[in-house]
Amino acid sequence: PEPPKKKRKGFFRRLGQLMTLSALGLVGFSAYKIYVDSHPAEQVAPGPDKKTLVILGTGWGSVSLLKRIDSTLYNVIVISPRNFFLFTPLLPSCTTGTIESRSIMEPIRSITRHKEGIVQYIEAEAKDIDMNRRVVTVESVKHDDDIANGEGPLSIRTAEIPFDYLVVGVGAQNTTFGIPGVEQYGCFLKEITDAQKIRQRIMDRIEQAMLPSTTPEERKRLLHMVVVGGGPTGVEFAGELQDFFEDDLKKWIPSIADDFKVTLVEALPNVLPMFSKQLIEYTEKIFSQEKITVMTKTMVKNVTESTIEADVTTPSGERERQVIPYGLLVWATGNAARPLTRKLMSSIPAQKDSRRGLAVNEFLVVNGTDGVWGLGDCTATKYAPTAQVAAQQGLYLARLFNQLAKTEMIEQEIKDLEALAHHAVDESDRRALDSKIDNRTRVLRRNKMLMPFEYSHQGSLAYIGMDRAVADLAFGEGNYSSGGSLTYIFWRSAYLSMVFSSRNRLLVLVDWLKVKLFGRDVSRE
Ligand code: FAD
Ligand code: NAI
């Protein structure tokens, strides 16, 4: 029996050595990444001959374009009112303090500063695009001191930014379908400020409910948290909120336990319509275990300061108006086009039939324009408005622009060679130049062959609360659906690997650990 024992020992020793080496490698690589991230190299200034490429937006589409574009080939200018990139998949976690806001924000200055060629960033909103004069009119962002000073020296400034090429990646805004009261009384969940507002309002409502003067009925209302829209935003937020209640609120403020309630309202017969049937059923089952009330076939029609009025389709098919008292309303019913997008859609004749966003061709050129591209949520394509689509479109455009600049360089080279060949006296020189021209023309032809944009769907993931997630993953031609705790581990690892920088990754990890050890913070900011 001795030799096999020895063998096993040897195996475990080698496994241990391998694991130590891998861990050391990982630490070394992380240290190297952190060093590179915090020590940007000198940048190259764009030459006067470079074309000006203006990129609108600092979201998923524009930033993935920025990440991959060779910025030495263009004079790149980024314009956006938001001077950071926001990792939206983890935004619902910020509403309850599972993750702190700054952990999923990456400063745009850090992104532009890491490019080889200098990239200019302007903190402003694009208000208009003049396609004939090829200029973007921008308006600077309002700052606190501007508001305090009124029309003082720091008040809003406008400017015109000329462009040769333009990429519109301004995203979308929340839709309310014109339902009265939503803008005034509801919270949205799209930007970091929305998450901060929700976090504050949850604590506001709880503290109001706890006041000695609050009647039991009013208390019930204040502690009723309603989410409208059963898409992934609404579902993920409802799951996070219920976690907050179960893990922390109930522990620190036990007296709210009987009255705190989360309700998810959806107009369609089920939540998460884009997921497979089995995952929809699984989500609804978990929600019922979590004690989240799901009201499907319920269409909200009106919102007042303290009530939501909705048409509910009863099992007999009749419509019934219900009045739902609420304390917090989070409105997550999808996207609508931004004012700039609407302005473009109405001013370009080829866009007259577009409704949801800018119509683009297979190369992402905005229909009816020349040298203007569109990507992400501000466009209307056959794809869902997701980060996945916007990011792939950004990468595609980066390849396109890199190729375009190289094409222009080769064309110029060929012109120069042709001029030389034209003036060549020596026959052998001329033949050598002609062969060079042939060679470059072949390269040019290859370079000009650009494939249309094609989206590759990797799958959909959503967190549903109670340390569970659902995933519809694409594998080759097939699909794989899963839901539960293992999927939740996968969800966490996938998003951790996707966050923008090593700094973000570390911050998110620390936030998760902090919550595991000490729970979420229940103080009001
Ligand atoms: P955005 O990322 O919205 O960026 C638009 C940019 O344009 C912003 O920087 C904005 O400030 C700027 N801008 C706005 N107006 C102007 C203007 N006039 N001029 C210049 N700049 C302007 N998708 C997934 O695939 N997976 C997920 O898990 C996922 N989770 C999500 C969770 C939440 C809570 C939300 C709200 C969305 C989620 N999405 C997810 C969807 C995803 O975030 C969007 O599809 C994606 O952000 C679209 O990218 P975009 O670049 O088109 O727009
Ligand atoms: P959505 O458009 O996916 O869902 C909105 C839901 O609101 C719909 O189911 C609709 O039926 C419902 N609704 C509309 N009006 C209503 C009313 N008056 N009353 C009740 N219900 C009403 O919107 P969402 O969730 O904001 O997502 C926007 C985009 O972002 C989608 O493309 C989504 O796929 C993507 N996203 C993806 C996530 C993920 O993959 N985990 C997370 C969040 C968003």
Side-chain angles (χ1 to χ4, degrees):
E2 274 308 299
K5 250 189 194 170
K6 261 190 194 162
K7 245 189 207 169
R8 213 171 295 146
K9 256 190 192 166
F11 170 75
F12 282 120
R13 195 177 311 124
R14 241 169 273 138
L15 187 69
Q17 283 168 346
L18 199 69
M19 281 169 75
T20 316
L21 271 179
S22 315
L24 279 176
L26 196 69
V27 170
F29 178 71
S30 306
Y32 166 75
K33 275 288 292 162
I34 291 169
Y35 180 84
V36 170
D37 281 358
S38 50
H39 294 82
E42 284 284 308
Q43 289 179 293
V44 183
D49 56 323
K50 298 288 179 235
K51 291 225 160 74
T52 297
L53 165 65
V54 171
I55 303 173
L56 302 183
T58 45
W60 276 95
S62 302
V63 165
S64 70
L65 156 63
L66 193 57
K67 241 164 68 180
R68 286 293 171 85
I69 195 165
D70 181 347
S71 60
T72 60
L73 299 175
Y74 293 94
N75 168 32
V76 183
I77 302 175
V78 178
I79 299 169
S80 173
R82 198 176 75 190
N83 75 349
F84 57 90
F85 166 76
L86 179 65
F87 188 79
T88 47
L90 291 178
L91 187 61
S93 302
C94 293
T95 58
T96 56
T98 309
I99 286 178
E100 293 299 334
S101 312
R102 296 254 163 205
S103 308
I104 57 164
M105 292 158 66
E106 181 67 16
I108 195 69
R109 302 283 183 185
S110 142
I111 301 170
T112 54
R113 185 62 187 81
H114 278 97
K115 297 300 295 178
E116 198 182 335
I118 289 177
V119 172
Q120 192 188 345
Y121 167 69
I122 301 172
E123 191 193 57
E125 199 177 321
K127 288 288 180 186
D128 200 9
I129 298 166
D130 188 327
M131 298 290 179
N132 298 320
R133 291 171 51 233
R134 299 190 83 72
V135 291
V136 183
T137 305
V138 303
E139 196 173 279
S140 68
V141 171
K142 252 188 203 172
H143 295 118
D144 285 352
D145 37 8
D146 294 331
I147 298 161
N149 292 347
E151 290 299 305
L154 286 169
S155 64
I156 311 300
R157 291 181 199 111
T158 59
E160 284 193 340
I161 314 290
F163 65 85
D164 294 302
Y165 299 139
L166 175 70
V167 175
V168 186
V170 296
Q173 62 186 31
N174 297 285
T175 177
T176 65
F177 300 106
I179 296 170
V182 176
E183 292 268 9
Q184 200 178 350
Y185 304 115
C187 297
F188 297 112
L189 182 50
K190 194 154 193 68
E191 295 294 339
I192 204 75
T193 44
D194 297 329
Q196 287 161 341
K197 182 173 164 186
I198 293 174
R199 191 173 173 183
Q200 177 140 341
R201 203 167 277 191
I202 296 169
M203 292 321 299
D204 276 353
R205 294 302 176 257
I206 291 172
E207 297 302 356
Q208 282 169 340
M210 298 315 295
L211 289 176
S213 54
T214 307
T215 63
E217 196 179 292
E218 187 63 355
R219 207 172 120 114
K220 247 191 169 54
R221 175 186 79 76
L222 287 165
L223 294 175
H224 189 198
M225 314 280 156
V226 180
V227 187
V228 178
T233 304
V235 164
E236 291 194 324
F237 170 67
E240 292 278 355
L241 183 54
Q242 190 66 23
D243 281 358
F244 186 28
F245 170 64
E246 290 294 339
D247 301 345
D248 307 286
L249 293 170
K250 224 159 83 173
K251 182 164 51 183
W252 302 116
I253 322 167
S255 47
I256 64 166
D258 290 341
D259 293 329
F260 190 94
K261 185 174 150 191
V262 178
T263 300
L264 180 65
V265 178
E266 167 57 51
L268 297 175
N270 51 262
V271 299
L272 290 182
M274 68 291 292
F275 280 80
S276 61
K277 194 168 173 280
Q278 107 196 53
L279 290 183
I280 291 172
E281 282 167 6
Y282 177 75
T283 305
E284 288 178 350
K285 189 182 96 190
I286 294 293
F287 269 20
S288 99
Q289 282 175 17
E290 289 177 53
K291 299 195 183 65
I292 295 175
T293 310
V294 179
M295 293 176 73
T296 49
K297 298 188 188 167
T298 306
M299 171 85 83
V300 174
K301 293 288 186 179
N302 190 39
V303 174
T304 70
E305 195 180 1
S306 56
T307 59
I308 291 163
E309 291 160 28
D311 281 349
V312 183
T313 308
T314 61
S316 58
E318 278 161 32
R319 285 223 175 140
E320 197 176 79
R321 181 60 62 107
Q322 270 194 23
V323 179
I324 309 161
Y326 75 93
L328 169 81
L329 165 65
V330 173
W331 192 264
T333 61
N335 294 345
R338 285 197 192 275
L340 178 75
T341 313
R342 284 205 302 271
K343 207 172 196 178
L344 282 177
M345 278 155 58
S346 61
S347 63
I348 303 168
Q351 297 283 336
K352 74 176 192 323
D353 296 327
S354 314
R355 292 288 166 270
R356 288 177 298 121
L358 294 168
V360 293
N361 71 11
E362 68 272 37
F363 300 99
L364 306 182
V365 174
V366 175
N367 289 350
T369 69
D370 175 27
V372 179
W373 286 261
L375 84 175
D377 285 7
C378 67
T379 60
T381 61
K382 57 185 173 183
Y383 312 115
T386 64
Q388 223 182 123
V389 172
Q392 287 185 29
Q393 289 177 329
L395 293 182
Y396 170 82
L397 282 189
R399 266 200 313 274
L400 181 143
F401 283 117
N402 292 345
Q403 217 164 315
L404 195 63
K406 278 181 196 136
T407 301
E408 282 167 6
M409 272 171 358
I410 300 169
E411 275 170 349
Q412 188 55 49
E413 214 182 306
I414 292 172
K415 265 192 205 148
D416 294 345
L417 287 169
E418 279 170 348
L420 278 177
H422 185 72
H423 293 108
V425 201
D426 193 299
E427 181 61 20
S428 66
D429 281 355
R430 206 165 50 79
R431 249 186 277 129
L433 283 165
D434 280 345
S435 135
K436 255 191 186 165
I437 291 169
D438 281 351
N439 192 313
R440 296 313 282 156
T441 310
R442 268 197 299 276
V443 175
L444 180 68
R445 225 174 287 136
R446 259 204 316 274
N447 208 59
K448 272 187 167 172
M449 272 194 305
L450 183 75
M451 304 302 275
F453 170 72
E454 233 174 77
Y455 170 61
S456 145
H457 185 61
Q458 306 297 305
S460 307
L461 275 170
Y463 179 63
I464 58 170
M466 262 179 35
D467 291 353
R468 283 173 170 78
V470 287
D472 259 336
L473 302 175
F475 277 115
E477 296 293 294
N479 227 48
Y480 172 72
S481 299
S482 82
S485 305
L486 275 178
T487 315
Y488 168 65
I489 295 170
F490 174 72
W491 176 88
R492 277 201 161 184
S493 344
Y495 284 153
L496 195 63
S497 69
M498 277 185 236
V499 288
F500 197 87
S501 59
S502 18
R503 178 184 143 273
N504 283 159
R505 204 160 296 128
L506 187 67
L507 291 176
V508 168
L509 260 178
V510 170
D511 288 342
W512 280 338
L513 187 69
K514 220 165 60 183
V515 166
K516 261 276 161 283
L517 294 177
F518 307 108
R520 299 168 187 84
D521 191 334
V522 295
S523 59
R524 192 148 63 85
E525 279 177 294

